[in-house]
Amino acid sequence: QVQLVESGGGLVQAGGSLRLSCAASGRTFSTYTMGWFRQAPGKEREFVAAISWSGASTYYADSVKGRFTISRDNAKNTGYLQMNSLKPEDTAVYYCALSRRPNAIMYYEYNGWGQGTQVTVSS
């Protein structure tokens, strides 16, 4: 089973940038779709972005389109989420997860969740 560890979260001012990383153990990372989700206090976990196993296809929530970029380096077993032009409403715990489904954007299509990394955007 692949295990995931997120990092790169922190406190940033509105308009700033952060780059999240998702490090995967195991040798099968490259066969999974990778997704990023986030959960703010009192809210449901929501889809942020996903990338196909090859990196050829990417999907974004409307709320982050044009500001966030998902990528992966299968040779390093690591995925990334570059977040630019951050807004206070982006404040949440960010999670990465893996799915066997090629176009997965729903949380129930994913398993093997990491522990999450906190992103806080101040106004």
Side-chain angles (χ1 to χ4, degrees):
Q1 184 177 355
V2 179
Q3 294 185 321
L4 305 174
V5 177
E6 302 94 335
S7 61
L11 173 64
V12 64
Q13 289 188 332
S17 299
L18 285 174
R19 189 193 195 200
L20 305 184
S21 296
C22 174
S25 64
R27 294 174 291 179
T28 59
F29 173 76
S30 62
T31 65
Y32 290 89
T33 297
M34 185 191 75
W36 285 95
F37 290 75
R38 65 187 182 187
Q39 189 166 19
K43 295 188 177 181
E44 294 185 349
R45 191 167 299 190
E46 65 172 350
F47 171 75
V48 175
I51 186 168
S52 62
W53 66 270
S54 67
S57 298
T58 56
Y59 312 89
Y60 295 93
D62 288 342
S63 58
V64 306
K65 202 171 293 184
R67 300 188 298 121
F68 290 11
T69 302
I70 189 171
S71 62
R72 66 191 298 164
D73 185 339
N74 288 338
K76 295 182 178 180
N77 278 3
T78 302
Y80 305 97
L81 185 67
Q82 177 67 43
M83 306 186 296
N84 299 328
S85 302
L86 282 161
K87 304 175 180 180
E89 51 264 44
D90 294 319
T91 296
V93 178
Y94 283 71
Y95 301 88
C96 64
L98 302 179
S99 175
R100 284 296 191 188
R101 307 187 73 165
N103 303 314
I105 63 170
M106 304 301 292
Y107 74 91
Y108 53 77
E109 297 178 293
Y110 285 81
N111 53 33
W113 296 82
Q115 84 290 346
T117 185
Q118 176 70 48
V119 171
T120 304
V121 184
S122 63
S123 58

